[in-house]
Amino acid sequence: MRILFLGDIVGEPGRKSVIKFLSTIQKEHSIDFTIVNGENSAGGRGITPSIANDLFKAGADVITTGDHVWDQRDLADHLSNEKRILRPINYPEGVPGSGLISIDTPAGKLAVLNAQGRTFMGQALENPFLILEDTVNALIKDGTKMIFLDFHAETTSEKIAMGYHLDGKASVIVGTHTHVQTADERILPNGTAHITDAGMCGPETSILGRNVESIIYRFKSSLPTRFPVAKGPVRLCGVIAEIDPETGKAKSIERYNRLLEPGEM
Amino acid sequence: MRILFLGDIVGEPGRKSVIKFLSTIQKEHSIDFTIVNGENSAGGRGITPSIANDLFKAGADVITTGDHVWDQRDLADHLSNEKRILRPINYPEGVPGSGLISIDTPAGKLAVLNAQGRTFMGQALENPFLILEDTVNALIKDGTKMIFLDFHAETTSEKIAMGYHLDGKASVIVGTHTHVQTADERILPNGTAHITDAGMCGPETSILGRNVESIIYRFKSSLPTRFPVAKGPVRLCGVIAEIDPETGKAKSIERYNRLLEPGEM
Amino acid sequence: MRILFLGDIVGEPGRKSVIKFLSTIQKEHSIDFTIVNGENSAGGRGITPSIANDLFKAGADVITTGDHVWDQRDLADHLSNEKRILRPINYPEGVPGSGLISIDTPAGKLAVLNAQGRTFMGQALENPFLILEDTVNALIKDGTKMIFLDFHAETTSEKIAMGYHLDGKASVIVGTHTHVQTADERILPNGTAHITDAGMCGPETSILGRNVESIIYRFKSSLPTRFPVAKGPVRLCGVIAEIDPETGKAKSIERYNRLLEPGEM
Amino acid sequence: MRILFLGDIVGEPGRKSVIKFLSTIQKEHSIDFTIVNGENSAGGRGITPSIANDLFKAGADVITTGDHVWDQRDLADHLSNEKRILRPINYPEGVPGSGLISIDTPAGKLAVLNAQGRTFMGQALENPFLILEDTVNALIKDGTKMIFLDFHAETTSEKIAMGYHLDGKASVIVGTHTHVQTADERILPNGTAHITDAGMCGPETSILGRNVESIIYRFKSSLPTRFPVAKGPVRLCGVIAEIDPETGKAKSIERYNRLLEPGEM
Ligand SMILES: [Fe+2]
Ligand SMILES: [Fe+2]
Ligand SMILES: [Fe+2]
Ligand SMILES: [Fe+2]
Ligand SMILES: [Fe+2]
Ligand SMILES: [Fe+2]
Ligand SMILES: [Fe+2]
Ligand SMILES: [Fe+2]
């Protein structure tokens, strides 16, 4: 089972590029299942039902999110109908949406999870280490072998700790949120593929997808300002991981990282 | 001018490996100048004068630090004699040590800078964007062309923003502190080589160099515990950058990333 | 039922003063039950079993704590024997100690609760609003009418929100942790007595009980330093609240605030 | 010289009450000079030029602000014409407005300062301890004796530390930002009047002036929501301090704290 994951899609440049290139990438890399993080796909802030539909049409199977999940007002209602969009699982009971979807694939059941870290994150959510341990144990008990987690968190320590915490239980754990791909993809000792951050899909000349000058202005002056999505060539970042459907262990994980040429866009 | 930079050296495993392999790396890669971040070299917390001397003897030319600079009591005094150890430049006046050293090399003057970010960092320091802009402008006015900065910061946004902020003025800017190498090394539009984080030199099976179980225990229970430096094979991470001494622009930047085999250590 | 609560006892000056004056205060104010926050009673950091025993002997019925609860190593073990020392209730399961004690008094059952806020607090604990709501509802269902909560939190918003959240269910809610008594004691619309912070029992000429110069040095230089407990006259701060045992509603809440004269100590 | 200071004015209820009652309070308490913190006077977020004018007409002499100073777009421009509105002094050079105004009064020069703390505050500003020390020393050297500071900060430690830091140099230091009046008003050993927080002018049944239910909803669910300004009776909080114009020392400081009856509003 070959899974493509694309990191945080930022604004129109990011989502147009993903929509245009996704089927090609899937073919080139014999992808069986595609997960994308869409938390910044609507002008950098959240995702709308309509953008989500465009991403599904383009070939995404599941969309994960993160701290920006509620930025667009109409998403919360949409989550009750559209189970393929996940929000972090570690919200309290009663919150719209779900952080888990279980999908029957030709290779067997695949569970996709989305959770959010707590260190330096805007929202105070419940303990993801405890909730994910319980959830993953229940999935395994239930016979699910292939488990994919997008762990949306700020610090490298929380993201690497989650990798070891679920090592041998989850098949693949990718970090998101920092928008910069890390060079530490590896299979952990007990068989879980891990990368600290998958990176983003957004404008190359930018600061996390945002206009460079506005962010520098902010750091220099501490004054508020708007942070428009940047323009120009887009880089697509993510990972391609292969899971052994018999064991649920990862067979490989590779970084996906491609700067689209201006002519391609 | 080819510069080797090695990221945060963690504990005995990290420093022993650096000391053992540094001269080989320098030869293999025709290194002219070597900078290492030593802020975690003493049991994970700070650096002692004696460890610093060992690193200098092994071939380091300058040692940078970060938020852990004061963890070892006797370092503050040592900084007034040993100008080759830098502490972040954006402390207020009167604080021991310096964040800048200017060195005459056969290829001309090379300034090495060390600064610390402010977002999610333990200490509240002065604005690094303003201080570095002034400092770099003064260095350039003074005729210095080659300028290297270790910007020790938590968030990708602050570290990338600093890259663009000094793009065309500094020759090389490496981020440190998150202990995970990023895969975004590049030369920015105006000629500054940049990577968001150089990564660490420390045990591979670890969380930022620390013992895995202790960190997981902390995240699960929120209880305090000791975080010993981990054991086992060491990975050395950093970058190799080449500066054109005539212009001060970067000609190249490559990630250095090598897992030492048990037999090598 | 008249309850005396004394806020965070800081160091030797704080605990010696409390031990010396507690029985007098109890008599002067016809106190039926005494609760003290002891999280800083051991040199400013945590509490030892022996200090706790001294406070019990002096007349405390229950000791609450907060983020400093684990600062002294031997306390965690002691908690399993000494149920009268509470730690914040919103730790995950399996953590030593309890955040609730239920005591039979001549006026009926009195439940004492201790919880910790999440905004700007060192530890990432579970949601105190959800846990306390469940706990208090269960206590009430069980027939407990008198419920006292020490909510240890940094921000005024979290502490006031907890007051309204449990208004009419808890009898008395006192905030602690900021070490400065607030002037907003009142009975909320549904009958819960509330104060945002009870203040501390510690040296008057101090910064939260600590030596003035060392704290100013830290703010000026951002350098680490020791923060010894200050010396000199002690101020005792807390509240006296009266609960109607029939209804569990608060009849009154008054600030207790007394600067001990040098001659008295 | 008798100074009235009113803490953060929240929304329409707060500003209408201040405007209606200010002249009465001034007469009742023989006030010579009035300073109000207006950072929340426009719907809870910032202040508009028109609201500022209303407050000046009602009798305010100077308006201080804080972290919400830039919430209303048109204020930044207005600051260059209206020197009586202060923004925190510890912004970098080049930022609109000023954190200091020096006013000739019949009793001599009075300098009013506004600064912002750094611990747990949204913006990363420059070191207020260093900037205020320099500014106050310069004012004193220049012959100014009466110096008033509104120090807008989150933590009690930073606010009390500032009191001792400028003790004997500033005449009066009031803390603001937490919206809850503290009960620790006092004259520090060298003659500076100090209170950790002056409190707010806003709706009594509220959480920092905001609607109770919306804030509780946020703490329970971690979901975003709007936080409208609350309704109902208003409490006015602040301090009245008297400065000896000959020495610049404080002669007294008293809390001002008055709940307006429904009939009064
Ligand atoms: Fe994102
Ligand atoms: Fe995010
Ligand atoms: Fe480090
Ligand atoms: Fe660091
Ligand atoms: Fe405390
Ligand atoms: Fe505390
Ligand atoms: Fe405010
Ligand atoms: Fe504020």
Side-chain angles (χ1 to χ4, degrees):
Chain A
M1 166 69 95
R2 289 177 62 78
I3 293 181
L4 169 69
F5 177 82
L6 292 176
D8 305 41
I9 298 170
V10 183
E12 193 183 298
R15 72 176 187 261
K16 284 206 169 162
S17 303
V18 170
I19 288 167
K20 185 165 175 192
F21 286 88
L22 186 49
S23 67
T24 312
I25 301 170
Q26 290 171 331
K27 275 172 223 145
E28 278 175 15
H29 295 275
S30 310
I31 297 304
D32 300 307
F33 199 89
T34 299
I35 303 160
V36 302
N37 185 306
E39 73 146 9
N40 306 108
S41 54
R45 320 188 108 262
I47 183 168
T48 63
S50 142
I51 289 173
N53 285 338
D54 290 348
L55 291 168
F56 287 132
K57 264 181 239 158
D61 295 300
V62 170
I63 298 174
T64 55
T65 59
D67 53 311
H68 285 286
V69 61
W70 314 114
D71 285 359
Q72 300 291 329
R73 290 272 170 100
D74 44 357
L75 190 78
D77 284 347
H78 189 62
L79 290 181
S80 44
N81 301 314
E82 180 50 271
K83 305 295 188 190
R84 295 174 298 171
I85 306 176
L86 302 180
R87 50 91 177 147
I89 197 169
N90 48 332
Y91 274 89
E93 270 184 60
V95 162
S98 168
L100 164 65
I101 185 171
S102 211
I103 290 169
D104 287 306
T105 78
K109 271 210 171 140
L110 169 68
V112 182
L113 288 158
N114 192 189
Q116 187 169 311
R118 302 209 288 184
T119 312
F120 305 145
M121 297 299 288
Q123 297 101 343
L125 301 190
E126 306 318 300
N127 192 321
F129 287 80
L130 300 177
I131 291 168
L132 286 173
E133 188 172 11
D134 287 350
T135 306
V136 164
N137 283 343
L139 286 166
I140 291 170
K141 211 179 154 189
D142 229 50
T144 300
K145 290 204 164 63
M146 299 187 291
I147 299 175
F148 182 100
L149 166 63
D150 172 358
F151 186 45
H152 197 77
E154 175 67 34
T155 66
T156 51
S157 71
E158 196 169 6
K159 290 194 273 193
I160 298 174
M162 187 60 79
Y164 284 109
H165 180 49
L166 300 178
D167 182 22
K169 297 182 171 177
S171 310
V172 184
I173 300 177
V174 299
T176 53
H177 180 64
T178 69
H179 289 210
V180 175
Q181 193 175 68
T182 55
D184 66 340
E185 73 283 2
R186 57 177 166 162
I187 295 180
L188 296 172
N190 297 315
T192 297
H194 183 266
I195 189 167
T196 296
D197 206 287
M200 72 167 173
C201 297
E204 170 76 350
T205 301
S206 76
I207 298 170
L208 315 197
R210 307 300 184 132
N211 172 271
V212 166
E213 285 70 30
S214 63
I215 303 279
I216 291 177
Y217 173 80
R218 168 73 179 187
F219 276 118
K220 284 185 65 171
S221 69
S222 294
L223 289 173
T225 186
R226 294 184 61 248
F227 303 122
V229 170
K231 296 178 195 305
V234 162
R235 186 181 289 275
L236 302 179
C237 288
V239 297
I240 294 170
E242 182 158 5
I243 307 173
D244 180 342
E246 304 295 319
T247 62
K249 306 279 175 180
K251 295 168 73 173
S252 67
I253 178 166
E254 287 169 46
R255 288 187 281 112
Y256 182 81
N257 189 320
R258 177 174 171 191
L259 179 61
L260 302 175
E261 300 298 321
E264 294 181 297
M265 294 179 63
Chain B
M1 167 69 96
R2 289 176 62 79
I3 293 181
L4 170 68
F5 176 82
L6 292 176
D8 307 40
I9 298 169
V10 182
E12 192 183 298
R15 71 176 188 262
K16 285 207 168 161
S17 303
V18 169
I19 288 166
K20 184 163 177 195
F21 286 88
L22 186 50
S23 67
T24 313
I25 301 171
Q26 289 170 332
K27 275 173 223 146
E28 278 176 13
H29 294 276
S30 311
I31 298 303
D32 301 306
F33 199 89
T34 298
I35 304 159
V36 303
N37 185 306
E39 74 147 7
N40 306 109
S41 54
R45 320 190 109 262
I47 183 167
T48 62
S50 141
I51 290 175
N53 286 338
D54 289 348
L55 291 168
F56 287 132
K57 264 182 243 158
D61 296 297
V62 170
I63 298 174
T64 56
T65 58
D67 53 311
H68 286 286
V69 61
W70 314 115
D71 284 0
Q72 299 293 329
R73 290 272 170 100
D74 45 356
L75 190 78
D77 284 345
H78 189 61
L79 289 182
S80 45
N81 302 315
E82 180 49 272
K83 305 295 188 191
R84 294 173 299 171
I85 307 175
L86 302 180
R87 49 93 178 145
I89 197 170
N90 48 331
Y91 274 90
E93 269 182 62
V95 162
S98 168
L100 164 65
I101 185 171
S102 212
I103 290 170
D104 286 307
T105 78
K109 269 208 171 140
L110 169 68
V112 182
L113 288 158
N114 191 191
Q116 187 170 312
R118 304 208 288 184
T119 312
F120 305 146
M121 297 299 287
Q123 299 99 342
L125 301 189
E126 306 317 301
N127 193 320
F129 286 80
L130 301 177
I131 290 168
L132 286 173
E133 187 172 11
D134 286 352
T135 306
V136 164
N137 284 342
L139 285 166
I140 290 171
K141 212 179 154 189
D142 229 50
T144 301
K145 289 204 164 64
M146 298 187 293
I147 299 174
F148 182 99
L149 166 63
D150 172 359
F151 186 45
H152 197 78
E154 174 67 34
T155 65
T156 50
S157 71
E158 196 169 7
K159 290 194 272 193
I160 298 175
M162 187 59 82
Y164 284 110
H165 180 49
L166 300 178
D167 182 21
K169 297 180 172 178
S171 309
V172 183
I173 299 177
V174 300
T176 53
H177 179 64
T178 69
H179 288 210
V180 175
Q181 193 176 67
T182 55
D184 66 339
E185 73 284 1
R186 57 177 167 161
I187 296 181
L188 296 172
N190 298 315
T192 296
H194 183 267
I195 189 168
T196 297
D197 206 286
M200 72 168 174
C201 296
E204 170 77 348
T205 299
S206 75
I207 298 171
L208 316 197
R210 307 299 184 131
N211 171 270
V212 165
E213 286 69 31
S214 63
I215 304 278
I216 291 177
Y217 173 80
R218 168 73 176 186
F219 277 118
K220 284 185 67 170
S221 69
S222 294
L223 289 173
T225 187
R226 294 187 60 250
F227 304 121
V229 170
K231 297 178 195 303
V234 163
R235 187 181 288 274
L236 302 179
C237 289
V239 296
I240 294 170
E242 181 158 8
I243 306 174
D244 180 343
E246 303 295 317
T247 62
K249 306 281 176 179
K251 294 168 75 174
S252 67
I253 179 166
E254 285 170 46
R255 289 187 278 112
Y256 182 82
N257 189 319
R258 177 173 170 191
L259 179 61
L260 302 175
E261 301 297 322
E264 295 181 294
M265 295 179 60
Chain C
M1 166 70 93
R2 289 177 62 80
I3 294 182
L4 170 69
F5 176 82
L6 292 176
D8 306 41
I9 299 169
V10 183
E12 193 182 299
R15 71 176 188 262
K16 285 207 168 160
S17 303
V18 169
I19 288 166
K20 183 164 178 195
F21 286 89
L22 186 49
S23 67
T24 312
I25 301 170
Q26 289 170 332
K27 275 172 225 146
E28 277 176 14
H29 295 274
S30 311
I31 299 302
D32 300 306
F33 199 89
T34 298
I35 304 159
V36 303
N37 185 306
E39 72 147 9
N40 306 108
S41 55
R45 322 188 107 263
I47 183 167
T48 62
S50 140
I51 290 174
N53 286 337
D54 290 348
L55 291 168
F56 287 130
K57 264 181 243 158
D61 295 297
V62 170
I63 298 174
T64 56
T65 58
D67 53 310
H68 285 286
V69 60
W70 314 114
D71 285 1
Q72 299 293 327
R73 289 272 169 99
D74 45 356
L75 190 77
D77 284 345
H78 189 61
L79 290 182
S80 45
N81 301 315
E82 180 49 271
K83 305 296 188 190
R84 295 173 298 170
I85 307 176
L86 302 181
R87 50 92 179 146
I89 197 170
N90 48 332
Y91 273 89
E93 268 183 60
V95 162
S98 167
L100 163 65
I101 185 171
S102 213
I103 290 169
D104 287 307
T105 78
K109 269 206 172 141
L110 168 68
V112 182
L113 288 158
N114 191 191
Q116 187 170 312
R118 303 207 290 183
T119 311
F120 306 145
M121 297 298 287
Q123 299 100 341
L125 301 190
E126 307 317 301
N127 193 319
F129 287 81
L130 300 177
I131 291 167
L132 287 172
E133 187 172 10
D134 286 351
T135 307
V136 165
N137 283 343
L139 286 166
I140 291 171
K141 212 179 153 188
D142 230 49
T144 301
K145 290 205 165 63
M146 299 187 290
I147 300 174
F148 182 99
L149 166 63
D150 172 359
F151 186 45
H152 197 78
E154 174 67 34
T155 65
T156 50
S157 72
E158 197 169 7
K159 289 194 273 195
I160 298 174
M162 188 59 81
Y164 284 109
H165 180 48
L166 300 178
D167 182 23
K169 296 180 173 179
S171 310
V172 183
I173 299 176
V174 299
T176 54
H177 180 65
T178 68
H179 288 209
V180 175
Q181 193 177 68
T182 55
D184 66 339
E185 74 284 2
R186 57 178 165 159
I187 295 180
L188 295 172
N190 298 315
T192 297
H194 183 266
I195 189 168
T196 297
D197 206 286
M200 71 167 174
C201 297
E204 169 77 349
T205 300
S206 75
I207 298 171
L208 316 196
R210 306 300 184 131
N211 171 271
V212 166
E213 285 70 31
S214 64
I215 303 278
I216 290 177
Y217 174 81
R218 168 73 178 186
F219 278 118
K220 284 185 67 171
S221 69
S222 295
L223 289 173
T225 187
R226 294 186 61 251
F227 303 121
V229 170
K231 297 180 195 304
V234 163
R235 185 181 290 274
L236 303 178
C237 289
V239 298
I240 295 170
E242 181 158 6
I243 306 173
D244 180 342
E246 304 294 319
T247 63
K249 307 279 176 181
K251 295 168 75 174
S252 66
I253 178 166
E254 286 169 45
R255 289 188 279 111
Y256 182 82
N257 189 320
R258 176 173 172 191
L259 179 61
L260 302 176
E261 302 298 321
E264 294 181 294
M265 294 179 61
Chain D
M1 166 71 95
R2 288 176 62 79
I3 294 181
L4 169 69
F5 176 82
L6 293 177
D8 306 41
I9 299 170
V10 182
E12 193 183 298
R15 71 176 188 263
K16 285 207 169 161
S17 303
V18 169
I19 288 166
K20 185 166 177 192
F21 287 87
L22 186 49
S23 66
T24 312
I25 301 170
Q26 290 170 332
K27 273 172 225 145
E28 279 175 13
H29 295 275
S30 311
I31 297 304
D32 300 306
F33 198 89
T34 298
I35 303 160
V36 302
N37 185 306
E39 72 146 10
N40 307 108
S41 55
R45 319 188 109 262
I47 183 168
T48 62
S50 141
I51 290 174
N53 285 338
D54 289 350
L55 291 168
F56 287 132
K57 262 182 245 159
D61 294 299
V62 171
I63 298 173
T64 56
T65 59
D67 53 310
H68 285 287
V69 61
W70 314 115
D71 285 1
Q72 300 292 328
R73 290 270 169 99
D74 44 356
L75 190 77
D77 284 346
H78 190 61
L79 289 182
S80 45
N81 301 315
E82 180 51 270
K83 306 295 189 189
R84 295 173 297 171
I85 306 176
L86 302 180
R87 50 91 178 147
I89 197 170
N90 48 332
Y91 274 90
E93 269 184 59
V95 162
S98 168
L100 163 65
I101 186 170
S102 212
I103 290 169
D104 286 307
T105 78
K109 268 207 173 145
L110 169 68
V112 182
L113 288 159
N114 191 191
Q116 187 169 314
R118 302 209 290 185
T119 311
F120 305 145
M121 297 298 287
Q123 297 101 342
L125 301 190
E126 306 317 301
N127 192 321
F129 287 80
L130 300 177
I131 290 168
L132 286 173
E133 187 172 11
D134 286 351
T135 306
V136 164
N137 283 342
L139 285 166
I140 291 170
K141 212 179 153 188
D142 229 51
T144 301
K145 290 206 164 63
M146 298 186 291
I147 299 174
F148 182 100
L149 166 64
D150 172 359
F151 186 45
H152 197 78
E154 175 67 33
T155 64
T156 50
S157 71
E158 197 170 6
K159 290 194 273 194
I160 299 174
M162 187 60 81
Y164 284 109
H165 180 50
L166 300 178
D167 182 22
K169 297 181 171 178
S171 310
V172 183
I173 299 177
V174 299
T176 54
H177 180 64
T178 69
H179 289 209
V180 174
Q181 193 175 69
T182 55
D184 66 339
E185 74 283 2
R186 56 177 167 162
I187 295 181
L188 296 172
N190 297 316
T192 296
H194 183 267
I195 189 167
T196 296
D197 207 286
M200 72 167 174
C201 296
E204 170 76 349
T205 300
S206 76
I207 298 171
L208 315 197
R210 306 301 184 130
N211 171 271
V212 166
E213 285 72 29
S214 63
I215 302 278
I216 291 177
Y217 173 80
R218 167 74 178 186
F219 277 118
K220 284 185 66 170
S221 70
S222 294
L223 289 173
T225 187
R226 295 184 61 249
F227 302 121
V229 170
K231 298 179 194 302
V234 163
R235 185 180 290 273
L236 302 179
C237 288
V239 298
I240 294 169
E242 181 158 6
I243 306 174
D244 179 342
E246 303 296 319
T247 62
K249 307 279 176 182
K251 296 168 73 173
S252 67
I253 178 167
E254 286 169 45
R255 289 187 281 112
Y256 183 82
N257 189 319
R258 176 173 172 192
L259 179 60
L260 302 176
E261 300 298 320
E264 293 181 296
M265 296 179 63

